[in-house]
Amino acid sequence: KRIAEYDALRTDATVTLIEGDARTATLPEGTQLDGVFTSPPYVGLIDYHEQHRYAYELFPPPPRPHAPQIGPMSLGKSKKARLAYQHDIATVFRNLRPHLKPGAKLFVVANDRHDLYPAIGGAAGLRLVDVFHRPVPMRTERDSRTYFESIFWFQPKDLSD
């Protein structure tokens, strides 16, 4: 049923996939973005390569289990790990920044327990417009906890900011 629902919503829009490290990936020349919606990795929480192993096995490119990760679980959540995470995410956003049209919106979904994103946005030349909070209820039968995610709305700073 869900596949049929998706198929009814799907369009023939052109999609370009760029495989690479978001900190250094090069977007095609002339790329101008109206907006970005992303949910970056969380600092020290999940081994994303292991979490998504099935996707690496199903889809090209071939698995790269030792490719650098942002906020890997192996570094934990120490102050040093959080600073490295802030630096890396700000680098990703600075890499996108030249491709954002004036007034573009950048939405970031994050469980920001360490209050890292306001500083990340500032370091990336972004202005924090608003923050929305939403509850995330039980995701599995084993997990009865509800926690909150934040959705950060950033826009590029202009010369008057």
Side-chain angles (χ1 to χ4, degrees):
K1 178 182 172 188
R2 291 175 78 185
I3 292 172
E5 289 172 355
Y6 171 77
D7 191 49
L9 297 171
R10 188 170 47 168
T11 69
D12 292 329
T14 301
V15 175
T16 302
L17 296 176
I18 301 169
E19 191 272 331
D21 186 324
R23 293 167 285 196
T24 58
T26 303
L27 297 179
E29 190 171 329
T31 298
Q32 290 291 287
L33 304 170
D34 292 309
V36 174
F37 199 99
T38 186
S39 181
Y42 296 166
V43 64
L45 192 61
I46 297 172
D47 178 345
Y48 286 91
H49 288 161
E50 192 58 38
Q51 174 92 2
H52 299 292
R53 177 182 294 277
Y54 69 92
Y56 295 126
E57 293 171 355
L58 290 173
F59 303 105
R64 295 186 340 184
H66 301 293
Q69 294 184 52
I70 294 175
M73 189 168 62
S74 62
L75 293 182
K77 300 174 190 173
S78 68
K79 182 175 182 177
K80 181 179 178 182
R82 292 191 310 263
L83 288 171
Y85 177 86
Q86 282 181 295
H87 175 267
D88 286 344
I89 297 292
T91 300
V92 170
F93 294 163
R94 278 194 304 273
N95 193 30
L96 282 174
R97 181 79 173 74
H99 300 283
L100 296 174
K101 292 179 180 177
K105 295 174 174 71
L106 190 146
F107 292 98
V108 181
V109 178
N111 180 357
D112 192 19
R113 293 180 185 183
H114 304 289
D115 195 31
L116 304 176
Y117 274 88
I120 288 170
L126 302 171
R127 176 175 56 87
L128 182 60
V129 176
D130 206 348
V131 182
F132 309 95
H133 302 285
R134 70 182 193 119
V136 179
M138 178 176 69
R139 291 168 46 137
T140 68
E141 289 181 15
R142 297 177 311 192
D143 185 3
S144 61
R145 297 172 294 143
T146 296
Y147 66 92
F148 285 82
E149 286 182 327
S150 298
I151 302 172
F152 295 89
W153 171 10
F154 293 104
Q155 288 188 268
K157 288 183 180 178
D158 59 30
L159 296 176
S160 64
D161 286 339

